[in-house]
Amino acid sequence: MKKWIAACIIIIPLLEWYVFLQMIDWIGGWNTLFLLIVTSLIGVVMMRFEGRKVLEDTRALIEANQPPGRKMLDGLCVFIGGIMLVLPGFVLDVVGFTLVFPLTRPLYRNLLLKWIEKRMKNGSITIYRP
């Protein structure tokens, strides 16, 4: 896991810098800066809207005495996507939008479910019931 984190810390900024320079060549410096600011603002608005929606759905499931597991994973996806949208960079914005957008969020949720299931099978995650 530490190797993946170290690789991401090195690779993601280099990739973002490359895409940023390509965008400057393609649409110009001021337009690139404007686009970065606009995507961050749109991301914040989407994160607030989708986050509120996920919270309401989670509350409704809890009040109906149903487990809110999938909705909580949706909330995690919206949170992580929102952080990515606030950080500057076009690659992070694309991933962030797909995490926040309701039609693409199930792809990430399914990946998280498979990861959690794998961790539970090998004993890395233990669930205690009261």
Side-chain angles (χ1 to χ4, degrees):
M1 185 71 165
K2 291 179 184 179
K3 291 179 184 178
W4 282 103
I5 292 172
C8 287
I9 288 173
I10 294 169
I11 293 171
I12 291 174
L14 291 175
L15 181 63
E16 289 290 358
W17 184 251
Y18 175 76
V19 172
F20 185 73
L21 292 176
Q22 293 301 314
M23 290 298 289
I24 288 173
D25 286 343
W26 189 41
I27 63 173
W30 289 111
N31 290 335
T32 301
L33 183 62
F34 177 73
L35 189 59
L36 276 175
I37 292 169
V38 168
T39 57
S40 291
L41 292 175
I42 291 171
V44 167
V45 170
M46 277 185 71
M47 179 184 64
R48 290 184 68 195
F49 177 76
E50 288 298 322
R52 200 172 290 131
K53 185 176 161 191
V54 167
L55 277 174
E56 290 171 3
D57 293 344
T58 302
R59 282 189 192 129
L61 285 172
I62 290 172
E63 289 173 2
N65 289 328
Q66 295 179 352
R70 293 188 191 277
K71 285 297 174 185
M72 290 184 74
L73 287 176
D74 280 349
L76 180 64
C77 288
V78 169
F79 177 73
I80 293 170
I83 290 172
M84 288 181 161
L85 287 168
V86 171
L87 294 173
F90 292 108
V91 176
L92 288 177
D93 283 348
V94 169
V95 176
F97 275 119
T98 60
L99 276 164
V100 172
F101 193 63
L103 295 176
T104 54
R105 194 180 318 134
L107 299 171
Y108 295 100
R109 184 182 60 220
N110 291 337
L111 287 173
L112 278 171
L113 282 171
K114 288 178 184 176
W115 181 80
I116 290 170
E117 182 180 328
K118 180 181 170 187
R119 296 287 177 180
M120 288 174 69
K121 283 183 181 177
N122 73 12
S124 298
I125 297 176
T126 306
I127 297 178
Y128 296 101
R129 296 184 184 194

